[in-house]
Amino acid sequence: MSHKLLVVEDDESTAAYIEKGLREEGFTIDRCGNGRDALFLATDGSYDAIVLDRMLPGMDGMAVLGGLRAAGIETPVLILSALATAEDRVTGLTAGSDDYLTKPFSFAELLARLRLLLRRSKGVQPVTKLDCADLQMDLLSRKVRRGERMITLQPREFRLLEFLLRHVNQVVTRTMLLEGVWDYHFDPGTNVIDVHISRLRRKIDVPGEPVLLHTVRGAGYRLGLGD
C-alpha cells in the first residue's frame, strides 16, 4: 500500500523536485504552496507524513504545525528550513515536529528521514537484512553472501547493491541511482554508473548461477530473477 504524503513548499522548483523524487519512490503526493491550504488539507488526518517548509506565505510553517497539534493531528511532520542554527532546530522540534532538515538538502537524506518517520509511526522495526533469491545482505555486519559464497564489496558497491535490494524486481533509473547512491542531483555525463554496475555484476553473478542483475534497455537496471 502506497504511503500518502503532503508536501508544503512555496518554491515551485523545490516542490517539483521533491514531488518527482517521491513519486518515483512509489509515494502518493499532494502538494500545496501556502500555510492556509496546508492546514486545511492536513487536518483531515489522511496523510502518513507531511513535509513542511518553515517559511511560507500567509501562514508560516510553525503556525501550521501549531494548528495541527492543537487540533489533535499527530501526523509525523518533517520541517524543511533554511534556518539552520541549533536554536532554530530546537524551536522546530519543541513545537511538535518529528524531524528538522535544513536547506540545501539531498533527496537521499530527505527520503531516508521520511522512511524512518513512517516506520516509527507504524511501530515497525528498522530493516536489518535484505535479500533477493539466494543473495543476502546484513546491514548491521555489512556482510554480503550469495548462497554459501561470501562477497566482498567496496563501500560504493555496497551502497549500490543496498539500493537495488531495496527496490527488488523494480526498474531503477539512472536518476534514482545518481541521487540515491551518489547524492548527485544532476547527470555528470560520465559512465560512473555503468562502471560500478559492471563491477557489481561480476561479483554477484558468476557463471553457473542464475542471473540477478539485469540491464533494462532504455530504462535502467533491475535486480531479480528472470529477464
Side-chain angles (χ1 to χ4, degrees):
M1 180 179 177
S2 173
H3 289 292
K4 184 179 179 182
L5 308 183
L6 175 63
V7 175
V8 187
E9 169 61 63
D10 64 322
D11 182 80
E12 178 63 27
S13 61
T14 301
Y17 167 70
I18 294 172
E19 180 180 8
K20 177 177 180 293
L22 291 176
R23 287 190 183 279
E24 286 182 350
E25 293 294 327
F27 294 99
T28 299
I29 305 298
D30 285 342
R31 173 156 63 99
C32 66
N34 67 78
R36 297 190 185 281
D37 287 347
L39 187 58
F40 175 77
L41 289 170
T43 48
D44 71 0
S46 66
Y47 296 101
D48 296 299
I50 300 169
V51 178
L52 179 64
D53 186 24
R54 181 165 175 172
M55 301 177 71
L56 294 166
M59 174 186 290
D60 69 17
M62 300 302 290
V64 174
L65 179 59
L68 290 176
R69 297 307 186 232
I73 304 297
E74 297 300 325
T75 305
V77 173
L78 185 154
I79 287 182
L80 286 179
S81 180
L83 303 176
T85 69
E87 183 179 353
D88 291 325
R89 293 194 296 271
V90 169
T91 299
L93 293 169
T94 55
S97 73
D98 299 88
D99 202 353
Y100 193 105
L101 182 61
T102 58
K103 299 178 180 180
F105 60 91
S106 75
F107 178 76
E109 183 176 6
L110 173 67
L111 180 62
R113 287 173 180 249
L114 279 174
R115 284 180 167 156
L116 181 58
L117 289 184
L118 291 167
R119 287 200 297 269
R120 286 174 178 169
S121 68
K122 299 298 183 183
V124 178
Q125 294 299 313
V127 173
T128 60
K129 294 184 179 181
L130 302 170
D131 64 80
C132 174
D134 60 346
L135 178 65
Q136 299 178 328
M137 170 181 282
D138 189 315
L139 297 173
L140 297 181
S141 67
R142 298 188 68 81
K143 291 182 179 179
V144 177
R145 67 169 61 242
R146 182 159 186 191
E148 298 301 316
R149 178 169 61 87
M150 296 299 299
I151 300 174
T152 301
L153 299 177
Q154 297 298 315
R156 187 73 68 179
E157 294 167 346
F158 188 94
R159 287 185 62 186
L160 175 58
L161 180 58
E162 179 185 351
F163 192 90
L164 292 167
L165 282 167
R166 291 187 184 276
H167 298 80
V168 168
N169 292 318
Q170 299 177 29
V171 176
V172 175
T173 66
R174 290 180 63 88
T175 298
M176 292 169 67
L177 290 175
L178 285 169
E179 291 192 348
V181 180
W182 279 269
D183 294 332
Y184 289 167
H185 306 302
F186 61 94
D187 191 333
T190 69
N191 64 344
V192 61
I193 291 178
D194 305 305
V195 169
H196 280 81
I197 285 286
S198 178
R199 290 174 181 169
L200 184 60
R201 180 178 279 127
R202 287 197 298 269
K203 292 183 177 183
I204 68 173
D205 287 334
V206 301
E209 295 177 341
V211 174
L212 292 180
L213 183 50
H214 307 271
T215 299
V216 182
R217 190 173 300 277
Y221 304 93
R222 183 179 65 83
L223 188 70
L225 290 170
D227 296 331

